[in-house]
PDB file of all heavy atoms in Angstrom:
ATOM      1  N   SER A 148     151.974  71.424 102.931  1.00 87.00           N
ATOM      2  CA  SER A 148     150.641  70.963 103.286  1.00 87.00           C
ATOM      3  C   SER A 148     150.663  69.525 103.799  1.00 87.00           C
ATOM      4  O   SER A 148     149.803  69.117 104.565  1.00 87.00           O
ATOM      5  CB  SER A 148     149.693  71.108 102.096  1.00 87.00           C
ATOM      6  OG  SER A 148     150.155  70.342 101.025  1.00 87.00           O
ATOM      7  N   ILE A 149     151.701  68.755 103.407  1.00 90.00           N
ATOM      8  CA  ILE A 149     151.752  67.367 103.887  1.00 90.00           C
ATOM      9  C   ILE A 149     151.955  67.332 105.405  1.00 90.00           C
ATOM     10  O   ILE A 149     151.481  66.429 106.096  1.00 90.00           O
ATOM     11  CB  ILE A 149     152.863  66.585 103.149  1.00 90.00           C
ATOM     12  CG1 ILE A 149     152.770  65.085 103.458  1.00 90.00           C
ATOM     13  CG2 ILE A 149     154.233  67.081 103.528  1.00 90.00           C
ATOM     14  CD1 ILE A 149     152.676  64.254 102.238  1.00 90.00           C
ATOM     15  N   GLY A 152     148.746  67.796 106.910  1.00 91.00           N
ATOM     16  CA  GLY A 152     148.010  66.550 106.777  1.00 91.00           C
ATOM     17  C   GLY A 152     148.394  65.578 107.888  1.00 91.00           C
ATOM     18  O   GLY A 152     147.537  64.998 108.564  1.00 91.00           O
ATOM     19  N   VAL A 194     138.805  68.238 108.630  1.00 92.00           N
ATOM     20  CA  VAL A 194     139.381  68.756 107.388  1.00 92.00           C
ATOM     21  C   VAL A 194     139.213  70.268 107.330  1.00 92.00           C
ATOM     22  O   VAL A 194     140.148  71.010 107.012  1.00 92.00           O
ATOM     23  CB  VAL A 194     138.706  68.104 106.163  1.00 92.00           C
ATOM     24  CG1 VAL A 194     139.049  68.858 104.895  1.00 92.00           C
ATOM     25  CG2 VAL A 194     139.132  66.658 106.048  1.00 92.00           C
ATOM     26  N   LEU A 198     142.132  72.973 107.018  1.00 93.00           N
ATOM     27  CA  LEU A 198     142.139  73.922 105.901  1.00 93.00           C
ATOM     28  C   LEU A 198     142.095  75.362 106.414  1.00 93.00           C
ATOM     29  O   LEU A 198     142.751  76.248 105.866  1.00 93.00           O
ATOM     30  CB  LEU A 198     140.946  73.672 104.967  1.00 93.00           C
ATOM     31  CG  LEU A 198     141.030  72.427 104.090  1.00 93.00           C
ATOM     32  CD1 LEU A 198     139.754  72.299 103.260  1.00 93.00           C
ATOM     33  CD2 LEU A 198     142.243  72.498 103.177  1.00 93.00           C
ATOM     34  N   MET A 201     145.378  76.450 107.309  1.00 91.00           N
ATOM     35  CA  MET A 201     146.224  76.632 106.134  1.00 91.00           C
ATOM     36  C   MET A 201     145.924  77.937 105.389  1.00 91.00           C
ATOM     37  O   MET A 201     146.818  78.513 104.776  1.00 91.00           O
ATOM     38  CB  MET A 201     146.051  75.446 105.188  1.00 91.00           C
ATOM     39  CG  MET A 201     146.569  74.161 105.809  1.00 91.00           C
ATOM     40  SD  MET A 201     146.301  72.765 104.737  1.00 91.00           S
ATOM     41  CE  MET A 201     147.480  73.115 103.450  1.00 91.00           C
ATOM     42  N   ARG A 258     142.565  78.860  97.728  1.00 89.00           N
ATOM     43  CA  ARG A 258     143.582  77.919  98.190  1.00 89.00           C
ATOM     44  C   ARG A 258     142.920  76.675  98.802  1.00 89.00           C
ATOM     45  O   ARG A 258     143.354  75.546  98.556  1.00 89.00           O
ATOM     46  CB  ARG A 258     144.476  78.606  99.217  1.00 89.00           C
ATOM     47  CG  ARG A 258     145.551  77.687  99.679  1.00 89.00           C
ATOM     48  CD  ARG A 258     146.774  78.323 100.280  1.00 89.00           C
ATOM     49  NE  ARG A 258     147.652  77.199 100.619  1.00 89.00           N
ATOM     50  CZ  ARG A 258     148.438  77.165 101.671  1.00 89.00           C
ATOM     51  NH1 ARG A 258     148.494  78.205 102.470  1.00 89.00           N
ATOM     52  NH2 ARG A 258     149.164  76.107 101.911  1.00 89.00           N
ATOM     53  N   ALA A 259     141.879  76.880  99.584  1.00 91.00           N
ATOM     54  CA  ALA A 259     141.224  75.750 100.243  1.00 91.00           C
ATOM     55  C   ALA A 259     140.594  74.813  99.209  1.00 91.00           C
ATOM     56  O   ALA A 259     140.594  73.594  99.385  1.00 91.00           O
ATOM     57  CB  ALA A 259     140.162  76.257 101.213  1.00 91.00           C
ATOM     58  N   LEU A 260     140.071  75.384  98.127  1.00 91.00           N
ATOM     59  CA  LEU A 260     139.434  74.566  97.092  1.00 91.00           C
ATOM     60  C   LEU A 260     140.414  73.580  96.473  1.00 91.00           C
ATOM     61  O   LEU A 260     140.065  72.447  96.180  1.00 91.00           O
ATOM     62  CB  LEU A 260     138.872  75.464  95.984  1.00 91.00           C
ATOM     63  CG  LEU A 260     137.621  76.260  96.308  1.00 91.00           C
ATOM     64  CD1 LEU A 260     137.350  77.273  95.212  1.00 91.00           C
ATOM     65  CD2 LEU A 260     136.436  75.331  96.463  1.00 91.00           C
ATOM     66  N   GLY A 261     141.649  74.054  96.281  1.00 87.00           N
ATOM     67  CA  GLY A 261     142.612  73.233  95.558  1.00 87.00           C
ATOM     68  C   GLY A 261     143.465  72.370  96.464  1.00 87.00           C
ATOM     69  O   GLY A 261     144.297  71.596  95.984  1.00 87.00           O
ATOM     70  N   GLU A 262     143.339  72.505  97.776  1.00 87.00           N
ATOM     71  CA  GLU A 262     144.212  71.784  98.689  1.00 87.00           C
ATOM     72  C   GLU A 262     144.024  70.271  98.548  1.00 87.00           C
ATOM     73  O   GLU A 262     142.906  69.763  98.563  1.00 87.00           O
ATOM     74  CB  GLU A 262     143.951  72.229 100.130  1.00 87.00           C
ATOM     75  CG  GLU A 262     144.796  71.514 101.143  1.00 87.00           C
ATOM     76  CD  GLU A 262     146.252  71.405 100.733  1.00 87.00           C
ATOM     77  OE1 GLU A 262     146.806  72.402 100.232  1.00 87.00           O
ATOM     78  OE2 GLU A 262     146.847  70.334 100.887  1.00 87.00           O
ATOM     79  N   THR A 263     145.150  69.577  98.415  1.00 87.00           N
ATOM     80  CA  THR A 263     145.086  68.161  98.082  1.00 87.00           C
ATOM     81  C   THR A 263     145.526  67.254  99.228  1.00 87.00           C
ATOM     82  O   THR A 263     144.743  66.466  99.757  1.00 87.00           O
ATOM     83  CB  THR A 263     145.996  67.875  96.862  1.00 87.00           C
ATOM     84  OG1 THR A 263     145.675  68.816  95.853  1.00 87.00           O
ATOM     85  CG2 THR A 263     145.804  66.475  96.367  1.00 87.00           C
ATOM     86  N   MET A 264     146.787  67.376  99.606  1.00 86.00           N
ATOM     87  CA  MET A 264     147.382  66.379 100.497  1.00 86.00           C
ATOM     88  C   MET A 264     146.698  66.326 101.856  1.00 86.00           C
ATOM     89  O   MET A 264     146.389  65.251 102.365  1.00 86.00           O
ATOM     90  CB  MET A 264     148.883  66.670 100.686  1.00 86.00           C
ATOM     91  CG  MET A 264     149.771  66.114  99.601  1.00 86.00           C
ATOM     92  SD  MET A 264     149.191  64.548  98.911  1.00 86.00           S
ATOM     93  CE  MET A 264     149.458  63.470 100.310  1.00 86.00           C
ATOM     94  N   ALA A 265     146.478  67.505 102.441  1.00 88.00           N
ATOM     95  CA  ALA A 265     145.907  67.516 103.783  1.00 88.00           C
ATOM     96  C   ALA A 265     144.555  66.816 103.787  1.00 88.00           C
ATOM     97  O   ALA A 265     144.255  66.018 104.666  1.00 88.00           O
ATOM     98  CB  ALA A 265     145.783  68.948 104.287  1.00 88.00           C
ATOM     99  N   VAL A 266     143.748  67.099 102.753  1.00 88.00           N
ATOM    100  CA  VAL A 266     142.430  66.489 102.685  1.00 88.00           C
ATOM    101  C   VAL A 266     142.550  64.993 102.438  1.00 88.00           C
ATOM    102  O   VAL A 266     141.897  64.169 103.096  1.00 88.00           O
ATOM    103  CB  VAL A 266     141.582  67.149 101.571  1.00 88.00           C
ATOM    104  CG1 VAL A 266     140.214  66.497 101.500  1.00 88.00           C
ATOM    105  CG2 VAL A 266     141.465  68.636 101.804  1.00 88.00           C
ATOM    106  N   ALA A 267     143.433  64.633 101.485  1.00 87.00           N
ATOM    107  CA  ALA A 267     143.584  63.221 101.143  1.00 87.00           C
ATOM    108  C   ALA A 267     143.999  62.408 102.367  1.00 87.00           C
ATOM    109  O   ALA A 267     143.569  61.268 102.558  1.00 87.00           O
ATOM    110  CB  ALA A 267     144.616  63.066 100.027  1.00 87.00           C
ATOM    111  N   MET A 268     144.836  62.997 103.221  1.00 86.00           N
ATOM    112  CA  MET A 268     145.321  62.256 104.380  1.00 86.00           C
ATOM    113  C   MET A 268     144.288  62.185 105.497  1.00 86.00           C
ATOM    114  O   MET A 268     144.198  61.193 106.204  1.00 86.00           O
ATOM    115  CB  MET A 268     146.609  62.892 104.913  1.00 86.00           C
ATOM    116  CG  MET A 268     147.775  62.718 103.956  1.00 86.00           C
ATOM    117  SD  MET A 268     149.194  63.671 104.467  1.00 86.00           S
ATOM    118  CE  MET A 268     149.798  62.673 105.814  1.00 86.00           C
ATOM    119  N   VAL A 269     143.537  63.262 105.672  1.00 86.00           N
ATOM    120  CA  VAL A 269     142.672  63.338 106.845  1.00 86.00           C
ATOM    121  C   VAL A 269     141.301  62.715 106.605  1.00 86.00           C
ATOM    122  O   VAL A 269     140.785  61.988 107.451  1.00 86.00           O
ATOM    123  CB  VAL A 269     142.514  64.813 107.294  1.00 86.00           C
ATOM    124  CG1 VAL A 269     141.459  64.925 108.383  1.00 86.00           C
ATOM    125  CG2 VAL A 269     143.840  65.379 107.765  1.00 86.00           C
ATOM    126  N   LEU A 270     140.707  62.971 105.439  1.00 86.00           N
ATOM    127  CA  LEU A 270     139.289  62.691 105.274  1.00 86.00           C
ATOM    128  C   LEU A 270     139.013  61.208 105.025  1.00 86.00           C
ATOM    129  O   LEU A 270     139.638  60.574 104.194  1.00 86.00           O
ATOM    130  CB  LEU A 270     138.736  63.525 104.120  1.00 86.00           C
ATOM    131  CG  LEU A 270     137.213  63.620 104.044  1.00 86.00           C
ATOM    132  CD1 LEU A 270     136.654  64.275 105.286  1.00 86.00           C
ATOM    133  CD2 LEU A 270     136.818  64.425 102.807  1.00 86.00           C
ATOM    134  N   SER A 287     134.359  63.007  99.072  1.00 87.00           N
ATOM    135  CA  SER A 287     135.750  63.436  98.950  1.00 87.00           C
ATOM    136  C   SER A 287     135.789  64.792  98.249  1.00 87.00           C
ATOM    137  O   SER A 287     134.747  65.333  97.887  1.00 87.00           O
ATOM    138  CB  SER A 287     136.553  62.417  98.150  1.00 87.00           C
ATOM    139  OG  SER A 287     137.916  62.747  98.174  1.00 87.00           O
ATOM    140  N   THR A 288     136.982  65.345  98.111  1.00 89.00           N
ATOM    141  CA  THR A 288     137.089  66.578  97.329  1.00 89.00           C
ATOM    142  C   THR A 288     137.748  66.242  96.003  1.00 89.00           C
ATOM    143  O   THR A 288     138.365  65.182  95.867  1.00 89.00           O
ATOM    144  CB  THR A 288     137.931  67.643  98.055  1.00 89.00           C
ATOM    145  OG1 THR A 288     139.285  67.222  98.050  1.00 89.00           O
ATOM    146  CG2 THR A 288     137.445  67.834  99.483  1.00 89.00           C
ATOM    147  N   ILE A 289     137.598  67.132  95.040  1.00 90.00           N
ATOM    148  CA  ILE A 289     138.122  66.854  93.699  1.00 90.00           C
ATOM    149  C   ILE A 289     139.618  66.592  93.747  1.00 90.00           C
ATOM    150  O   ILE A 289     140.106  65.577  93.251  1.00 90.00           O
ATOM    151  CB  ILE A 289     137.806  68.040  92.748  1.00 90.00           C
ATOM    152  CG1 ILE A 289     136.294  68.139  92.527  1.00 90.00           C
ATOM    153  CG2 ILE A 289     138.535  67.860  91.427  1.00 90.00           C
ATOM    154  CD1 ILE A 289     135.871  69.316  91.671  1.00 90.00           C
ATOM    155  N   ALA A 290     140.350  67.494  94.396  1.00 90.00           N
ATOM    156  CA  ALA A 290     141.808  67.391  94.386  1.00 90.00           C
ATOM    157  C   ALA A 290     142.266  66.127  95.109  1.00 90.00           C
ATOM    158  O   ALA A 290     143.119  65.382  94.609  1.00 90.00           O
ATOM    159  CB  ALA A 290     142.420  68.627  95.043  1.00 90.00           C
ATOM    160  N   ALA A 291     141.686  65.863  96.280  1.00 90.00           N
ATOM    161  CA  ALA A 291     142.095  64.679  97.038  1.00 90.00           C
ATOM    162  C   ALA A 291     141.735  63.409  96.280  1.00 90.00           C
ATOM    163  O   ALA A 291     142.509  62.440  96.240  1.00 90.00           O
ATOM    164  CB  ALA A 291     141.425  64.685  98.408  1.00 90.00           C
ATOM    165  N   ASN A 292     140.583  63.415  95.642  1.00 89.00           N
ATOM    166  CA  ASN A 292     140.146  62.242  94.894  1.00 89.00           C
ATOM    167  C   ASN A 292     141.098  61.944  93.742  1.00 89.00           C
ATOM    168  O   ASN A 292     141.439  60.788  93.495  1.00 89.00           O
ATOM    169  CB  ASN A 292     138.726  62.474  94.370  1.00 89.00           C
ATOM    170  CG  ASN A 292     138.189  61.264  93.628  1.00 89.00           C
ATOM    171  OD1 ASN A 292     138.057  60.201  94.192  1.00 89.00           O
ATOM    172  ND2 ASN A 292     137.927  61.444  92.343  1.00 89.00           N
ATOM    173  N   ILE A 293     141.530  63.003  93.052  1.00 90.00           N
ATOM    174  CA  ILE A 293     142.477  62.785  91.940  1.00 90.00           C
ATOM    175  C   ILE A 293     143.764  62.176  92.488  1.00 90.00           C
ATOM    176  O   ILE A 293     144.286  61.191  91.965  1.00 90.00           O
ATOM    177  CB  ILE A 293     142.771  64.108  91.201  1.00 90.00           C
ATOM    178  CG1 ILE A 293     141.504  64.606  90.504  1.00 90.00           C
ATOM    179  CG2 ILE A 293     143.887  63.913  90.186  1.00 90.00           C
ATOM    180  CD1 ILE A 293     141.670  65.956  89.825  1.00 90.00           C
ATOM    181  N   ALA A 294     144.277  62.751  93.569  1.00 89.00           N
ATOM    182  CA  ALA A 294     145.538  62.263  94.121  1.00 89.00           C
ATOM    183  C   ALA A 294     145.431  60.797  94.537  1.00 89.00           C
ATOM    184  O   ALA A 294     146.361  60.015  94.324  1.00 89.00           O
ATOM    185  CB  ALA A 294     145.933  63.118  95.323  1.00 89.00           C
ATOM    186  N   LEU A 295     144.291  60.427  95.125  1.00 88.00           N
ATOM    187  CA  LEU A 295     144.149  59.064  95.628  1.00 88.00           C
ATOM    188  C   LEU A 295     143.858  58.071  94.511  1.00 88.00           C
ATOM    189  O   LEU A 295     144.299  56.919  94.557  1.00 88.00           O
ATOM    190  CB  LEU A 295     143.028  59.005  96.674  1.00 88.00           C
ATOM    191  CG  LEU A 295     143.340  59.764  97.975  1.00 88.00           C
ATOM    192  CD1 LEU A 295     142.110  59.808  98.865  1.00 88.00           C
ATOM    193  CD2 LEU A 295     144.516  59.135  98.706  1.00 88.00           C
ATOM    194  N   LEU A 315     137.345  71.815  88.777  1.00 93.00           N
ATOM    195  CA  LEU A 315     138.079  72.497  89.848  1.00 93.00           C
ATOM    196  C   LEU A 315     138.826  73.712  89.303  1.00 93.00           C
ATOM    197  O   LEU A 315     138.821  74.796  89.905  1.00 93.00           O
ATOM    198  CB  LEU A 315     139.063  71.523  90.501  1.00 93.00           C
ATOM    199  CG  LEU A 315     139.901  72.097  91.646  1.00 93.00           C
ATOM    200  CD1 LEU A 315     139.001  72.532  92.782  1.00 93.00           C
ATOM    201  CD2 LEU A 315     140.929  71.075  92.124  1.00 93.00           C
TER     202      LEU A 315
END
Side-chain angles (χ1 to χ4, degrees):
Chain A
S148 60
I149 190 125
V194 166
L198 287 178
M201 294 177 71
R258 182 158 181 215
L260 287 170
E262 179 45 43
T263 310
M264 276 326 291
V266 179
M268 291 171 76
V269 172
L270 195 61
S287 187
T288 70
I289 293 177
N292 182 61
I293 294 176
L295 293 172
L315 180 62

